[in-house]
């Protein structure tokens, strides 16, 4: 948690572990608007994600660290082995319409809802609020 707090503080991000609907109404995030339907999370992944949330609520964190890399800035590292394809964090931040962020300079914006109607498409913007997931956007391929 200390490595995350240091990284967030240095870039001016408030830690949150939820989606913030300050910029859009919560009702805009509707599963029935998702093009092709929603992906269903398997029981095992849901249990893993719930465990991570419980740990965080007790001030603990899964085996994750945020470190500073001279080339990339703050990056995510696993502190221990994590099984491939394991969900370890829920991407959080402020929800906004993609059309308003089309030319945004943020480097951590993630798609949330892809609709047949482009005006309804949503993104998560962790530039003011977010969690450790915002640092999981790159792969360190220059150090062993």
């Amino acid at each position: 948690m200390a490595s995350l707090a240091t990284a967030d503080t240095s870039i001016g991000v408030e830690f949150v572990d939820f989606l913030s609907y300050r910029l859009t109404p919560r009702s805009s995030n509707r599963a029935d608007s998702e093009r092709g339907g929603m992906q269903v999370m398997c029981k095992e992944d849901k249990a893993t994600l719930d465990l991570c949330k419980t740990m965080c609520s007790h001030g603990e964190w899964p085996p994750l660290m945020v470190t500073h890399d001279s080339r990339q800035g703050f990056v995510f590292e696993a502190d221990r082995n994590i099984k491939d394809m394991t969900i370890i964090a829920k991407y959080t931040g402020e929800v906004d319409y993609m059309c308003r962020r089309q030319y945004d300079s943020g480097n951590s914006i993630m798609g949330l809802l892809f609709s047949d109607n482009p005006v309804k498409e949503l993104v998560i913007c962790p530039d003011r609020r977010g969690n450790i997931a915002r640092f999981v956007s790159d792969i360190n391929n220059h150090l062993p």
Side-chain angles (χ1 to χ4, degrees):
M1 288 297 281
S3 66
L4 174 61
T6 299
D8 278 348
T9 301
S10 71
I11 60 175
V13 173
E14 174 191 358
F15 175 84
V16 296
D17 208 22
F18 54 85
L19 293 175
S20 172
Y21 289 91
R22 201 174 52 89
L23 305 172
T24 59
R26 184 179 296 272
S27 60
S28 62
N29 188 4
R30 299 176 44 91
D32 60 0
S33 296
E34 180 72 24
R35 182 177 50 234
M38 295 296 294
Q39 182 179 359
V40 178
M41 183 183 290
C42 73
K43 255 193 218 183
E44 183 180 305
D45 286 346
K46 172 104 172 68
T48 301
L49 185 58
D50 288 344
L51 175 62
C52 288
K53 287 180 182 178
T54 301
M55 290 173 68
C56 291
S57 72
H58 293 109
E60 301 170 341
W61 199 255
L64 312 172
M65 294 185 310
V66 178
T67 60
H68 190 269
D69 179 85
S70 60
R71 289 180 170 171
Q72 298 177 356
F74 289 104
V75 295
F76 162 90
E77 286 184 9
D79 193 26
R80 282 176 271 185
N81 286 334
I82 299 174
K83 186 179 95 175
D84 287 349
M85 305 302 288
T86 298
I87 295 175
I88 51 175
K90 178 181 172 186
Y91 209 84
T92 63
E94 294 182 307
V95 176
D96 201 357
Y97 291 104
M98 188 178 299
C99 59
R100 291 200 293 221
R101 298 292 184 133
Q102 196 168 353
Y103 301 105
D104 195 293
S105 62
N107 62 0
S108 298
I109 294 174
M110 177 180 257
L112 174 63
L113 182 95
F114 298 97
S115 173
D116 288 328
N117 181 350
V119 175
K120 292 183 177 182
E121 293 188 338
L122 299 173
V123 291
I124 302 171
C125 309
D127 51 341
R128 292 188 183 102
R129 299 170 149 186
N131 67 5
I132 199 166
R134 80 181 311 271
F135 298 105
V136 187
S137 61
D138 206 350
I139 296 171
N140 176 344
N141 61 6
H142 64 276
L143 293 174

